Amino acid sequence: MYLSNVDIKFLPGVGPKKADLLLKELNIRSAEDMVRHYPYKYIDRSRFYYLHEISENMPFIQVKGQILTFEKVGLGRNQRLTAIFTDGKDTLELVWFQGVKFILEKYKTGITYVIFGKPSFFNGKFNIVHPEMDLPSQLPPVEQLGLQPFYNTTEKMKSGFLNSKAVQKIQQSLLPYLQSGVPETLPAYVLKKYALMNLTEALINIHFPKNTNALNKARQRLKFEELFYVQLNILQQTKWREQNLRGFTMKRIGHFFHTFYNNHLPFELTGAQKRVLKEIHEDIGSGKQMNRLLQGDVGSGKTLVALMSLLIAIDNGYQGCLMAPTEILANQHYETLKSFIGDLGVTVDLLTGSTRPKAREKLHAGLQSGELHIIVGTHALIEEVVKFKNLGMVVIDEQHRFGVEQRSKLWKKNVQPPHVLVMTATPIPRTLAMTLYGDLSISVIDELPPGRKPIQTYHYYENKRHALNGFIYKQIAAGRQIYVVYPLIEESEKMDLQNVMEGLEYFRETFPDFKVSMVHGKLKSAEKEYQMQQFVSGITQIMVATTVIEVGVNVPNASVMIIENAERFGLSQLHQLRGRVGRGAEQSYCILLTGFKLATETRKKMEILTRTNDGFEIAEADLQLRGPGDLEGTQQSGMPFELKIADLARDGKMLEIARNFVLEILNDDPNLEKPLNVILSTQLKKLKTNSVNWGIIS
Ligand code: ADP
Ligand code: MG
């Protein structure tokens, strides 16, 4: 009996309607999908808590004790009932907003009850709102109450009578299938090596844990399985590529590189830039195709590394391209490269959506004849009509804006795939990089060019705005420029846009001596360009904007970044925005403005940002605070299947173990052909066919 063959609608208590809901809401089709829908939490009814153990953020707990007094508070609709509850030593308040009369009739003081609920902290003390209350005699013994599973459901499911309890019932009906044994998905030698629970037991215990220990073992097993297959998937592809794809060999360091290095380079390379260039040179000289992620904080000098890599390609007789996610950025890169290159004799041109047909024709011809060495551009580069004589090196800036698919389209622009260098200023924590970009080699620029003053970051409440204006005035009077960034998200787009407009008005009125630009995503691209250009060239001194300015824009004269409603941005995004300043020689500042009422998490964000400028530390903290699901880039990443139980923020160690083990297995049996590994290729195939298509979702 295979659970994957059992249609969910034939299970007791399901039927076509609920089956439909399960499919639409949770992508659950078969009984197997169902048993792989794990609880997201468990409530421990296996023990009683003491009131002195209660702390903030605790899950549901149960306490045994008595009610000392009842008190009715407020009148009419606002009336509520409170009770003082004691476990014999300490007290806790119980609160009811409804059913006051019923409660007073049913429950009495001086009788021992078991109360169950989620404690919250209010007005300096703990309370439980609408607790479940039972006489101890009404409950089964504690040992049998055990761990109660809770399942994720959606609003639609709830209104379709599919709450967590209902899901639990369905799982219950599947228990006999599980107990008769399910086919194992990991080879016996893997289970043995890490003393993992077998799949049958793990599935039983994840839904119906015997005790905490068994639950932990079940979770370990299922997490390991997930991480193992994610790594197997990535690394098998990498192995395949290594074995089957040759890369252009670019050993030579020739005329262009040397001349540039000796005569054009306006400053000394940083140690990190030198190291990374060496890594790249070794890689592209090896005969293998390079797929490399270049990570480096904003301002660390990635563009220069890109250019020098392209020069090596040209020295070896190839062409190169540099792709950026926006027109503004592509323009900027083009200008930067042109000025670096000067009279070196390397030809470079720009292709974006705004390139005129005439210019396009000329450019296409140049690429095909090989006269044009480097082309900088946007997505326009991917189009079919763009053909190269001999494309050898592709550089992609700001990776997270591009999908894996777009990357691979550029690959196909030559018979043999070109080398690919992906650059990102969003530092990615190690565990995430191993998963999302596990197929890429990684280089890191972890050093800023000398002479940069670290940006000073301050967190202000909104009422400090006036004081801030004096500071802004002084900065601009001293010749600097200012960014003011507002959040804008789709859900509240109208209001957000209004805030940006009001911001524009506010700054115009407050600083009549200065000129203000405004850029947001709703502007026509020509208008955006114009506004941006006004700021870049220093005609305007204040730039009011949404996050469209987040990526890559370089205005070294801008020294102040003010972020409005900073609480609404993610940690990494705030860091990215901050990176727009601090690019010149002057001291730069970042001001985070928030309201007074802040969630604990937001406070933490502000604390981290004011303390450190280290992008990797911030990325790591972001991962811990938000979990990987929300991190930018996750949607477009190469994740073959979603993680249901493993957590990249917490399970980094296990991920590493799984990865190393997978490497061992693949080194020994790259195509997974050995009999004891057949189970691996079968399961991997199955996972991939069932997988969600991330490309479609994002
Ligand atoms: P990012 O890594 O954010 O793309 P850029 O490549 O835009 O950084 O570099 C930021 C600035 O630092 C540019 O003005 C660049 O010319 C300058 N720069 C790059 N490398 C060095 C260096 N080794 N020494 C001094 N300045 C440098
Ligand atoms: Mg850049």
Side-chain angles (χ1 to χ4, degrees), residues 267-270 273 296-304 333 336 340 397-398 423 425 445 449-450 452 552 554 556 580 583:
F267 33 65
E268 182 72 12
L269 292 177
T270 62
Q273 283 171 320
D297 228 329
V298 274
S300 60
K302 294 185 291 295
T303 319
L304 190 59
H333 276 317
T336 307
F340 268 134
D397 195 16
E398 305 298 348
M423 306 195 292
I445 305 187
R452 296 274 168 80
N554 191 18
R580 295 307 112 216
R583 310 194 130 221

Side-chain angles (χ1 to χ4, degrees), residues 126-141:
F126 285 105
N127 67 26
I128 293 183
V129 177
H130 288 202
E132 280 180 33
M133 288 179 65
D134 293 290
L135 292 168
S137 60
Q138 292 170 317
L139 293 171

